[in-house]
Amino acid sequence: MELSINQFQSYLVNAWGKAGFSSFTDVQARAIPTMLQRKDMMVESPPGTGKTLAYLLPIFEGLKEEVKSPQGVIVAPTRELVMQIHEEAQKFLKDSPFSSASFIGGADLKRQLEKLKKHPQIIIGTPHRLVELIEMRKLKMHEVKTIVLDEADQLLSSGATKEIDRVIQSTLKDRQLVAFSATLPQLTMEQLGKRMNNPEKITINASLDRKEKIQYRYIVSERRDKLDNLRKLLHTEPDMKAIAFINDSFHLEALAEKMKYKKIQAGVLYSQSTQAEREATIKKFRLGKYQLLLATDVAARGLDIEAITHVVHLDLPQEVEQFVHRSGRTGRMGAKGTVVSIVTPGEEKTLLHYSKRLSLEMEKVELYRGQLTDNAPKRTEKRQVTKPTNRPKKKVNDKNRK
C-alpha cells in the first residue's frame, strides 16, 4: 500500500497542507513505514531531501496524549541543527496537544530546566547537554520509545560516543534507535550496528532530477589567486548568495577582512561562535546584508538556509563525504543551485576523482569578462625576441687553440 499523508492524524495532515507539500520525498516514502513498524534503522540520503520529516512524522504519529514524559529524543551535533529541527517540530505540533523543547550547550541551564516543567513529549538536543540533564535526573527517559541520531556520522566521529551511549542506556531496552545522515561511511555503520538491533539499511541516491538542478563547475587557480577568483565569482551574478568553505578556521577572520577590503561584506561561521553570534550572522545573510558566508565544515554542518544559490569550495575537502555535505547546502528540496570548486592544478585530480565516485558531471570553467565560461579565448604567451647586439666578436687567441 502506498504511503499517504491522509493515514496520519488530522493535525499532521493540516500542517502538511499548510507547509505546501504535495507528496513524500524518496527518503520519506521509504523510511516512514520502517519507523512506524518500530524497527531500528540506518538511513543515508543526500542533503536537502527531507530527512527531518522522515523521522519526525512517524514519531509524532505514535505520541500518546496521556503520557506526560518525553516519548521521542532527537540528538544532533550542533546547536544550529537542534534549533532547525525544533523549529520544524513546532510547525507540525502547533495544533496538537503535544510540544517539543530544545536543549543546547551554552544556553542558560535554569531556563532549560523550566522547559522540562512544561512536560514536552519531544526532546531535541546536543549530546553533552542531554547527558547533563539526565545526570541531574531532570530529564526522565523511561517513556522514550524512539531515539534519533541526526547527522550520525558527525555525532560518532566528534568524540561524543560516550554521551550518545549514556542517552541510549538511559532508556528501556525496547526503544527504537534510528540514524540519519547524508553519508554513512563503513566505520559509522559498524559503530551504529553495535548499538542497534537488526537494523534495516536504507540508501537514497541523488535523484536524476536533483542532479540536473545542481550545476557542478570548477576553476583551476594558483593558491595565491583563489581569493581574487572568489571575489570575481561573486560579481558574476547580482543576486548571488554564497557560502564558501575553507578547511582551517584559523584563517576565517583574516579572509573576511580581505573580502571587506575588496568591498564584499562577508559573515563568518565557526564552531567557537556563540549562539547569539551565529544567529546574528545568519540573520544578516538572510536579510542580504552579507552576500557571502565563510565557514568550516563543523560550523555549517546541518545548516539549512533558504535560497543559498552557490556553494564554493575555496579549499577542497579532504574526504568525499565532506564534499557531499558541503555541496548539499544549495539545491535543497528541488531548488536550483550551483557548486563551484576553486582548485589548484594539484587539487584538480582529487576533485575529478570525487566527481567519478559521485557520478557527477563536473564542468571546467574560467572567469572571463565577468562571466563563468567554458570557452574563454586561450591566452597566447608573448614570445620574447632577442635583439641582435652590435658587440664585436671575441677574437680567439691562436695560442689558446694549441
Side-chain angles (χ1 to χ4, degrees), residues 191-234:
Q191 290 177 304
L192 289 170
K194 293 174 183 177
R195 295 163 170 83
M196 292 180 169
N197 181 29
N198 298 319
E200 185 167 326
K201 171 74 190 300
I202 294 175
T203 301
I204 306 294
N205 295 316
S207 65
L208 181 62
D209 178 61
R210 177 173 169 79
K211 286 182 179 180
E212 286 177 348
K213 286 184 176 178
I214 299 179
Q215 279 188 310
Y216 290 88
R217 316 176 94 176
Y218 74 95
I219 300 164
V220 177
S221 163
E222 293 299 329
R223 189 170 298 279
R224 64 178 178 273
D225 298 327
K226 280 193 174 190
L227 202 62
D228 198 47
N229 278 315
L230 174 60
R231 177 189 63 80
K232 291 175 182 177
L233 176 66
L234 292 167

Side-chain angles (χ1 to χ4, degrees), residues 10 13 73 96 105 107 128 152 154 190 222 225 231 233 245 250 252-253 261 297-298 320 323 328 366:
S10 59
V13 176
V73 171
S96 78
H128 184 76
Q154 187 183 354
E190 289 172 4
E222 293 299 329
D225 298 327
R231 177 189 63 80
L233 176 66
F245 286 93
F250 182 75
L252 278 176
E253 290 288 357
Y261 179 75
D297 291 292
V298 174
V320 68
F323 186 87
E366 289 184 42

Side-chain angles (χ1 to χ4, degrees), residues 154-168:
Q154 187 183 354
L155 279 171
L156 292 172
S157 65
S158 63
T161 50
K162 288 183 179 179
E163 285 89 349
I164 291 165
D165 285 340
R166 181 69 183 92
V167 172
I168 295 170

Side-chain angles (χ1 to χ4, degrees), residues 23 49 85 88-89 188 216 219 260 277 287 320 335 349 402:
S23 60
T49 52
I85 298 166
E88 192 75 4
T188 302
Y216 290 88
I219 300 164
K260 186 178 180 180
E277 288 171 339
L287 293 173
V320 68
K349 185 177 179 181
K402 292 180 182 180

Side-chain angles (χ1 to χ4, degrees), residues 26-43:
D26 289 345
V27 68
Q28 292 163 359
R30 289 186 59 189
I32 289 174
T34 303
M35 281 197 68
L36 290 173
Q37 292 171 31
R38 301 209 43 77
K39 293 181 181 179
D40 286 2
M41 178 175 60
M42 307 177 199
V43 181

Side-chain angles (χ1 to χ4, degrees), residues 39-185:
K39 293 181 181 179
D40 286 2
M41 178 175 60
M42 307 177 199
V43 181
E44 183 178 41
S45 185
T49 52
K51 291 191 289 294
T52 304
L53 284 179
Y55 60 73
L56 284 181
L57 287 176
I59 292 176
F60 294 163
E61 180 66 14
L63 292 176
K64 295 179 181 179
E65 192 173 349
E66 66 273 16
V67 178
K68 300 303 178 184
S69 301
Q71 299 173 54
V73 171
I74 297 109
V75 188
T78 65
R79 294 170 292 181
E80 182 65 27
L81 183 54
V82 166
M83 299 312 295
Q84 286 172 188
I85 298 166
H86 178 51
E87 187 178 332
E88 192 75 4
Q90 285 182 310
K91 289 178 187 176
F92 277 77
L93 295 175
K94 186 178 179 182
D95 298 321
S96 78
F98 309 112
S99 65
S100 68
S102 60
F103 300 90
I104 56 176
D108 183 77
L109 186 58
K110 288 184 179 179
R111 288 185 182 179
Q112 301 215 324
L113 290 172
E114 288 297 318
K115 291 182 183 181
L116 289 172
K117 292 180 181 179
K118 297 178 181 178
H119 306 291
Q121 288 82 5
I122 302 296
I123 302 294
I124 308 158
T126 50
H128 184 76
R129 179 47 58 96
L130 292 179
V131 170
E132 197 174 4
L133 295 170
I134 291 169
E135 298 292 351
M136 292 173 68
R137 298 187 178 181
K138 299 296 183 181
L139 176 55
K140 310 295 183 183
M141 300 287 283
H142 61 282
E143 293 284 359
V144 171
K145 300 301 180 187
T146 302
I147 298 173
V148 178
L149 304 180
D150 200 343
E151 299 284 12
D153 60 336
Q154 187 183 354
L155 279 171
L156 292 172
S157 65
S158 63
T161 50
K162 288 183 179 179
E163 285 89 349
I164 291 165
D165 285 340
R166 181 69 183 92
V167 172
I168 295 170
Q169 290 162 7
S170 66
T171 61
L172 299 180
K173 288 185 178 180
D174 63 347
R175 54 97 188 102
Q176 176 187 38
L177 179 60
V178 297
F180 283 74
S181 187
T183 57
L184 284 176

